[in-house]
């Protein structure tokens, strides 16, 4: 997962815009699912990582959510 300047990418599979309010994150404008907006709760971890819990995300019949919820995303850099 890479986040920068209001955008996100997950490997070569998912990408688009990234918006947040508090710990709620919304993913939108993903070319793989142009009409599917995903919303998640982001949870910080003790090790400065993030864990995501899906609220709703119909993208790829749940495939993007499965990729994003795989575990803890650690900060690199």
């Amino acid at each position: 997962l890479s986040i920068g300047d209001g955008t996100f990418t997950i490997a070569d599979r998912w990408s688009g815009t990234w918006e947040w309010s508090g710990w709620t994150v919304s993913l939108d404008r993903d070319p793989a699912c142009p009409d599917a907006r995903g919303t998640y709760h982001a949870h910080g971890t003790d090790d400065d990582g993030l864990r995501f819990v899906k609220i709703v995300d119909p993208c790829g019949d749940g495939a993007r959510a499965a990729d994003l919820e795989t575990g803890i995303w650690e900060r690199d850099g």
Side-chain angles (χ1 to χ4, degrees), residues 10-71:
I10 302 171
D12 292 330
R13 189 167 184 189
W14 314 109
S15 64
T17 59
W18 167 282
E19 300 173 44
W20 67 93
S21 177
W23 288 102
T24 302
V25 174
S26 294
L27 309 177
D28 206 1
R29 297 187 181 120
D30 189 330
C33 303
D35 297 323
R37 180 180 182 97
T39 305
Y40 295 81
H41 284 292
H43 299 270
T45 67
D46 291 338
D47 297 324
D48 202 23
L50 286 175
R51 181 175 58 86
F52 294 91
V53 177
K54 178 180 73 171
I55 298 170
V56 62
D57 192 350
C59 181
D61 291 327
R64 182 171 66 187
D67 286 349
L68 196 57
E69 293 181 301
T70 61

